[in-house]
Amino acid sequence: VYAAKRLADLLGCGEASLLRHIAEGRLAATRDGDKWNHWEVTDAALRTLIVRHPNAIDLRLVPPANRAWFIEVVAGDALTTK
């Protein structure tokens, strides 16, 4: 589970972009407590965003250090299935 701010950092995009995806229903998220601007996003929700809206994330902006993580999120269980 990722906080929206942390996820934005991992993806190399602005938090406002992620919040827009949440507000427009493209990215499923749950509120983190009673804070109006704190959201939590699961790997599954991120994977769904990427599969259904492939242009939502600009792969060129994903920092090189985070690319292996990104592939693991997108691949999901496929990496562990033989």
Side-chain angles (χ1 to χ4, degrees):
V1 175
Y2 307 96
K5 170 100 175 81
R6 173 69 177 134
L7 186 56
D9 291 342
L10 287 167
L11 294 171
C13 67
E15 186 178 8
S17 295
L18 283 182
L19 295 177
R20 186 172 51 253
H21 291 309
I22 292 168
E24 294 175 0
R26 289 188 296 268
L27 178 60
T30 55
R31 286 198 190 276
D32 178 12
D34 60 355
K35 302 170 190 167
W36 70 271
N37 63 342
H38 290 263
W39 294 90
E40 292 183 340
V41 179
T42 64
D43 281 345
L46 179 57
R47 188 176 311 112
T48 299
L49 171 71
I50 294 165
V51 169
R52 291 187 180 163
H53 307 280
N55 293 324
I57 304 298
D58 186 344
L59 299 178
R60 297 170 298 176
L61 298 179
V62 176
N66 299 343
R67 290 183 183 157
W69 161 83
F70 183 84
I71 291 168
E72 288 176 13
V73 169
V74 172
D77 294 334
L79 289 177
T80 57
T81 304
K82 294 182 181 184

